[in-house]
Amino acid sequence: SRIVVHGKDATRIEMASGEAYFSVRHDPARSLTVQVGSYRITDIGTRFSVNISDGGFRVAVSEGAVGVSSEGADGEVRVTAGHQLMARQGDALALSPVAPEEIGSWRQGRLSYSNAPLSLVAADISRYSGKRIIVDPALDASHFSGTLVIGDGSRLLGDLAGVMDLSVRAENGGVRLGRAGGR
């Protein structure tokens, strides 16, 4: 993960890649802003995670609420505890429920997802396995719900492929996820 802190008081953070979990003490006089591309996540006291992949980002709230806004958008989207907001390049924002106890589950050795785009899951697996993962464009609309055990990262890709009935093949120094049997 890559995070850039602006200023000495750490109230403005830019998140460039990876995933982070934030636990912010409630203080109406001091808010935290996390910049993710053109999106701003604003918080005055809560617990939430932010996950970035090549295809977009996800913010999930386990306690309290955050506001998400972007340049050119009308207003702010409020994301409350037990919800996640996902955005993929060129797509509309999507708000959906998520189990609060699963948010930031990577801190306990698990990757848990609720209707997450396959590109986001692949980016997480790539980070833990050290393998560059290419998701076949035919799978762009595919989502995953479930939990994968991280371990040393070596079994994540095989576990996902087995659960979703996907093919895995070597390609250009990485691996490509595709439909099993060319379907």
Side-chain angles (χ1 to χ4, degrees):
S1 297
R2 188 170 150 250
I3 299 173
V4 178
V5 178
H6 297 280
K8 293 181 181 181
D9 64 358
T11 60
R12 198 168 66 91
I13 296 171
E14 179 183 347
M15 195 158 159
S17 63
E19 184 168 15
Y21 184 85
F22 299 90
S23 180
V24 182
R25 182 176 51 93
H26 181 76
D27 182 352
R30 184 173 180 217
S31 66
L32 169 69
T33 300
V34 179
Q35 188 78 34
V36 179
S38 66
Y39 293 95
R40 284 178 308 286
I41 302 161
T42 307
D43 170 76
I44 61 166
T46 189
R47 289 181 167 80
F48 65 102
S49 71
V50 178
N51 186 319
I52 301 171
S53 69
D54 292 335
F57 86 99
R58 172 181 67 173
V59 59
V61 180
S62 60
E63 184 179 304
V66 299
V68 179
S69 59
S70 68
E71 300 165 10
D74 292 334
E76 180 179 85
V77 176
R78 185 171 165 85
V79 184
T80 58
H83 291 89
Q84 63 185 356
L85 183 71
M86 289 184 275
R88 291 188 61 193
Q89 293 174 345
D91 290 348
L93 296 172
L95 186 65
S96 60
V98 63
E101 64 275 7
E102 295 299 329
I103 297 169
S105 62
W106 51 270
R107 299 176 306 142
Q108 287 85 40
R110 300 180 327 273
L111 298 176
S112 296
Y113 304 94
S114 178
N115 198 33
L118 188 56
S119 61
L120 184 124
V121 178
D124 286 349
I125 291 173
S126 181
R127 208 168 46 251
Y128 285 97
S129 69
K131 295 179 181 176
R132 186 172 66 88
I133 300 172
I134 303 157
V135 178
D136 190 291
L139 297 174
D140 277 349
S142 297
H143 287 73
F144 175 70
S145 294
T147 299
L148 301 169
V149 176
I150 297 171
D152 65 2
S154 65
R155 296 185 55 166
L156 287 168
L157 188 58
D159 290 349
L160 176 69
V163 169
M164 291 190 69
D165 193 26
L166 300 173
S167 67
V168 177
R169 65 179 166 84
E171 181 177 296
N172 299 328
V175 293
R176 176 179 284 269
L177 278 177
R179 297 194 191 281
R183 297 183 300 229

